[in-house]
Amino acid sequence: SAYKAGKTPKKDKVLSSSKSLVRKRLILELDKYCSLCVRIAAADKNGIATCYCCGRRLPWKCMHNGHFKSRQFQGTRFDFENMRCCCEVCNVTLHGNLKKYREHLIREIGEDRVNALDRKKSQKISTPELEELLVKVKLKYKQLLEAKKNDQNTL
């Protein structure tokens, strides 16, 4: 390590480290707000959401934000076409319950758009694009909260 024997890290390493921390923070915050948006949007006026894969109904706060294309793929990680509200059993235990997920997704958005997610998954997202996306997702979250509160006291 550069810190051993009294050595100091090179300036460019420190800068790239702080840039990667900014990026990691952006990704974590985007994950949080995307999850909130997906789960709140799926909730009915009583705060109950339905699992996209199996139909189990639970309070939205107990649900997960399931991804059809895994979160490891940057190009689709924050794409709302790729995210649906799922129960823990489908999302974790059944590793996304992808057969049911795909069937429902094709029925909902069509096979062409499902296939487009596969092509899009490997796209890279720059840090400025992540920053811009976070602003949009936070706005979407605020709008969803307002809509749900007006719908009734969902939350």
Side-chain angles (χ1 to χ4, degrees):
S1 164
Y3 295 102
K4 289 182 182 172
K7 293 181 183 175
T8 57
K10 292 181 182 171
K11 188 175 180 178
D12 56 343
K13 276 196 172 186
V14 171
L15 287 176
S16 78
S17 172
S18 66
K19 285 180 185 176
S20 82
L21 287 175
V22 166
R23 187 171 176 83
K24 285 178 183 174
R25 183 194 57 77
L26 284 168
I27 289 170
L28 286 172
E29 206 168 349
L30 269 163
D31 280 337
K32 171 187 164 183
Y33 281 99
C34 284
S35 176
L36 287 167
C37 287
V38 167
R39 295 177 301 128
I40 290 170
D44 65 16
K45 64 182 181 175
N46 299 311
I48 303 299
T50 303
C51 176
Y52 192 70
C53 300
C54 73
R56 182 176 286 119
R57 294 181 45 76
L58 295 166
W60 72 267
K61 290 179 180 181
C62 298
M63 300 295 259
H64 288 212
N65 177 22
H67 290 72
F68 178 61
K69 294 295 173 189
S70 169
R71 287 184 339 147
Q72 75 183 18
F73 298 113
Q74 216 179 87
T76 51
R77 183 173 186 151
F78 308 114
D79 185 331
F80 283 99
E81 280 204 334
N82 186 51
M83 298 181 278
R84 296 294 183 278
C85 188
C86 293
C87 69
E88 184 176 6
V89 172
C90 286
N91 199 42
V92 178
T93 309
L94 299 176
H95 307 285
N97 198 353
L98 294 179
K99 185 174 187 262
K100 286 285 184 194
Y101 201 135
R102 182 179 174 79
E103 288 171 9
H104 294 166
L105 207 53
I106 288 172
R107 200 174 312 123
E108 181 185 352
I109 67 172
E111 196 160 2
D112 287 346
R113 283 166 59 192
V114 171
N115 291 338
L117 288 172
D118 199 44
R119 291 188 298 276
K120 184 181 176 186
K121 71 182 184 186
S122 298
Q123 291 177 355
K124 301 295 178 209
I125 302 174
S126 70
T127 301
E129 288 171 319
L130 289 173
E131 290 169 340
E132 190 178 313
L133 187 56
L134 182 59
V135 170
K136 290 177 183 175
V137 172
K138 280 184 172 181
L139 178 61
K140 179 179 178 121
Y141 168 69
K142 287 178 185 172
Q143 290 169 339
L144 275 167
L145 274 184
E146 266 316 298
K148 292 293 179 171
K149 285 178 182 174
N150 291 338
D151 192 22
Q152 244 182 355
N153 282 339
T154 304
L155 312 169

